[in-house]
Amino acid sequence: DAKTTQPNSMESNEEEPVHLPCNHSTISGTDYIHWYRQLPSQGPEYVIHGLTSNVNNRMASLAIAEDRKSSTLILHRATLRDAAVYYCILRDPRMGGSEKLVFGKGTKLTVNP
Amino acid sequence: SAVISQKPSRDICQRGTSLTIQCQVDSQVTMMFWYRQQPGQSLTLIATANQGSEATYESGFVIDKFPISRPNLTFSTLTVSNMSPEDSSIYLCSVGKTGLNTEAFFGQGTRLTVV
């Protein structure tokens, strides 16, 4: 699996936007970019994923660089419930066993009231 | 979506004993996985539970230590054998469906403490 690099931690204030970066300079043309988050004392949950185009859903937006070597997860208005560890993961659907997720260290997001 | 029930949610066990963790899904799923999350760490994949055949283990994990069963498409068990304090972790079950980038679902985890 291609490697991703994320900052260990970030802080935000409630009601403000948060931009969580992820570098994946060795991404291949068929790797999808997935984001999961793990709230305290819970299992991870899916946030969003994309291939080339920017993506939006009810939880977040995913901005993907034109060269695909980096991406940014955007939380438009952070709430206290968004405090979690956010994981950026690459998955290649062509590869056998691609359904498994390989987790890096992730970014611990702290949201201040 | 898929709702996953893991049992037990937590346990405290004596070293040298074994614990079996159950994972029940509310719908049939193709893929089931077991992860370990050591204190303060990220998740590490232990194995893929294959229905009707032996599990596929990741590097560093062996069947004798972590035997896995998967008798059908909605149920799997992970046993942590001959436990030591180093096995104290959260163990998580995850499920997914084959297809182009379908999302994975996770149970709440089993918090295991070995004393």
Side-chain angles (χ1 to χ4, degrees):
Chain A
D1 296 297
K3 191 175 176 64
T4 63
T5 305
Q6 299 177 252
N8 290 333
S9 62
M10 291 186 65
E11 270 193 57
S12 172
N13 296 320
E14 203 174 6
E15 306 277 316
E16 291 184 355
V18 181
H19 291 230
L20 298 164
C22 180
N23 288 319
H24 27 78
S25 58
T26 59
I27 191 171
S28 74
T30 52
D31 282 332
Y32 278 71
I33 303 159
H34 285 245
W35 284 81
Y36 282 75
R37 71 179 185 180
Q38 187 173 23
L39 303 172
S41 301
Q42 294 191 27
E45 64 177 357
Y46 168 83
V47 178
I48 201 167
H49 77 273
L51 181 63
T52 56
S53 304
N54 295 344
V55 184
N56 301 295
N57 66 21
R58 63 175 180 82
M59 288 182 69
S61 296
L62 176 60
I64 302 172
E66 197 169 334
D67 64 4
R68 300 206 331 121
K69 293 185 176 182
S70 65
S71 60
T72 303
L73 179 70
I74 303 166
L75 307 179
H76 294 285
R77 290 180 64 205
T79 70
L80 297 179
R81 289 173 296 181
D82 291 320
V85 179
Y86 287 78
Y87 298 98
C88 170
I89 301 169
L90 301 183
R91 297 175 75 185
D92 182 349
R94 300 173 310 153
M95 299 294 290
S98 65
E99 295 83 359
K100 66 183 182 182
L101 296 173
V102 178
F103 287 81
K105 296 185 186 300
T107 297
K108 182 176 183 178
L109 175 65
T110 300
V111 181
N112 300 313
Chain B
S1 66
V3 177
I4 300 170
S5 172
Q6 255 188 262
K7 292 180 181 179
S9 59
R10 59 176 63 227
D11 207 342
I12 301 173
C13 300
Q14 297 290 324
R15 67 176 68 201
T17 63
S18 298
L19 176 72
T20 296
I21 302 167
Q22 298 180 358
C23 176
Q24 178 73 55
V25 192
D26 68 342
S27 60
Q28 292 188 343
V29 292
T30 311
M31 312 299 295
M32 294 184 82
F33 306 94
W34 287 97
Y35 288 83
R36 180 177 73 182
Q37 188 168 28
Q38 295 175 300
Q41 303 296 313
S42 182
L43 284 79
T44 301
L45 181 64
I46 298 172
T48 302
N50 300 310
Q51 195 237 341
S53 65
E54 194 172 284
T56 305
Y57 290 85
E58 298 297 309
S59 175
F61 297 95
V62 296
I63 188 171
D64 290 345
K65 177 67 175 177
F66 297 101
I68 288 170
S69 78
R70 188 172 174 196
N72 56 52
L73 293 176
T74 64
F75 186 78
S76 177
T77 66
L78 168 74
T79 299
V80 186
S81 302
N82 189 25
M83 289 183 285
S84 66
E86 291 71 34
D87 294 320
S88 297
S89 294
I90 298 172
Y91 293 86
L92 296 112
C93 172
S94 173
V95 304
K97 300 179 181 180
T98 51
L100 191 63
N101 282 280
T102 54
E103 64 184 274
F105 300 91
F106 288 80
Q108 296 284 68
T110 296
R111 183 179 295 272
L112 171 62
T113 303
V114 183
V115 297

